[in-house]
Amino acid sequence: MIYRLDTLSENSINPITRQAYDNSWIILMLIDSPDYQQMCGNSDGGAYTIKMSRSQYNNWKMAVGDFIDFSEVNEKNALLVMSEADFKAAESHYKGHRYNEPLLRDNEPSVLIHSTPMNNWEQIKRDGMLKSWNMLKSEKAIAEEQPIGTWLGDPMDFSDYIMFGGGVTGEIVVNSKQQGSIVMDQDAKYLTGARLYFDAKRMAQDGLLIRDGCHLKVKDMLPLKPYLIWVATWETIGLASQISTPKIFSERADKQFQSISQLQ
């Protein structure tokens, strides 16, 4: 069910049920922060919350539409915190669109990146595909008891998806897995893995790309062929050793990928 409120007190009590939030709830708050476009996570014992800045994020109406469409189709308990006027503006703007529509939008990246530890990359190559955490767990391919997103308060169904991003984010995740806790330091030493570059346009055209209002993701599995474009490892980008930092590895890899792309 989708619910809308004008305002919300951020605490552990769900204003709809009058009880503590359970893991089935997700919140989208439309705000006017000058500091960021989107920020997501779980705090104060509340539900997982996406905060979206109307003043900084030009595509907020589409993102709100994706959030609503994704939540409705997947029967999620979703709470919208915004005025009725903003809700109607987003609803009108979103007409004719779907959260999984088979095209790449103008504001979406043509390449999506997924980072993984080196031992995982070896298994991915053997499988010929990326698999979600839940799929790997069901196959007993991983020993960890819970995904790293649990530390951030991610809803349980996030583990049904393969997440993509850009910049240094994926390397932060790889390092955090190695350390056993969230490490946001971009200059921290870590053991680099593989940085996988995927064709987002082809993924969208084949109906694989899913938008939930905050993330671009694929459910369950993604074959490497025909979507994988290139793989960066410490060797392919010319580092002296496997040990580097999230900042150096991501920047060097992206720079080399751009050089390769220009030659094609």
Side-chain angles (χ1 to χ4, degrees):
M1 289 287 291
I2 310 294
Y3 303 87
R4 187 196 64 80
L5 295 175
D6 289 326
T7 60
L8 176 71
S9 296
E10 294 185 71
N11 54 49
S12 63
I13 301 302
N14 186 328
I16 305 301
T17 64
R18 305 297 181 183
Q19 298 177 346
Y21 288 99
D22 62 38
N23 199 260
S24 71
W25 286 84
I26 188 166
I27 299 170
L28 188 151
M29 299 182 69
L30 189 62
I31 59 177
D32 283 308
S33 173
D35 301 323
Y36 54 82
Q37 292 186 351
Q38 288 184 315
M39 183 173 67
C40 56
N42 188 315
S43 61
D44 300 321
Y48 184 88
T49 301
I50 301 166
K51 293 183 178 180
M52 192 177 300
S53 177
R54 179 176 42 196
S55 62
Q56 300 299 311
Y57 190 34
N58 293 334
N59 295 293
W60 69 265
K61 294 175 185 175
M62 286 295 290
V64 169
D66 283 332
F67 176 85
I68 294 170
D69 191 32
F70 176 82
S71 298
E72 287 180 338
V73 170
N74 292 277
E75 299 180 337
K76 296 184 68 66
N77 289 318
L79 187 55
L80 297 170
V81 184
M82 64 186 65
S83 69
E84 185 174 0
D86 285 332
F87 170 75
K88 288 183 176 179
E91 191 176 46
S92 175
H93 184 79
Y94 194 72
K95 284 182 179 178
H97 291 280
R98 294 303 309 272
Y99 76 96
N100 59 348
E101 57 191 357
L103 56 86
L104 199 64
R105 299 171 185 164
D106 291 341
N107 66 301
E108 293 175 334
S110 60
V111 174
L112 291 174
I113 300 170
H114 180 86
S115 298
T116 189
M118 192 61 74
N119 61 322
N120 289 11
W121 171 228
E122 296 302 324
Q123 182 62 52
I124 289 165
K125 286 190 289 185
R126 289 192 291 270
D127 291 342
M129 66 181 68
L130 285 175
K131 297 178 181 178
S132 70
W133 190 92
N134 278 345
M135 180 167 286
L136 290 169
K137 190 66 175 176
S138 69
E139 295 175 350
K140 298 182 179 179
I142 51 177
E144 59 190 30
E145 290 301 316
Q146 59 188 18
I148 188 173
T150 302
W151 304 335
L152 298 172
D154 288 356
M156 292 173 60
D157 69 339
F158 273 33
S159 296
D160 289 330
Y161 298 89
I162 300 158
M163 298 293 192
F164 299 89
V168 73
T169 305
E171 309 316 318
I172 293 290
V173 172
V174 170
N175 186 30
S176 296
K177 285 183 178 180
Q178 292 174 8
Q179 303 304 323
S181 62
I182 302 297
V183 180
M184 298 302 295
D185 184 1
Q186 299 183 19
D187 298 312
K189 297 290 185 181
Y190 82 124
L191 204 59
T192 61
R195 189 169 170 89
L196 315 182
Y197 294 75
F198 288 91
D199 186 338
K201 183 177 181 180
R202 177 169 268 183
M203 290 161 61
Q205 288 174 339
D206 291 347
L208 298 175
L209 195 62
I210 291 173
R211 309 159 179 89
D212 63 9
C214 188
H215 310 95
L216 294 173
K217 55 192 183 181
V218 169
K219 189 169 186 181
D220 294 331
M221 66 180 74
L222 176 68
L224 298 182
K225 295 180 180 180
Y227 308 105
L228 182 63
I229 303 172
W230 185 66
V231 181
T233 66
W234 69 274
E235 295 170 302
T236 62
I237 65 173
L239 291 178
S241 79
Q242 190 177 355
I243 298 174
S244 185
T245 69
K247 179 179 173 63
I248 291 173
F249 184 61
S250 60
E251 289 182 351
R252 286 278 292 270
D254 287 353
K255 184 177 181 180
Q256 185 150 331
F257 176 74
Q258 290 169 6
S259 297
I260 293 170
S261 300
Q262 290 170 0
L263 295 174
Q264 294 176 343

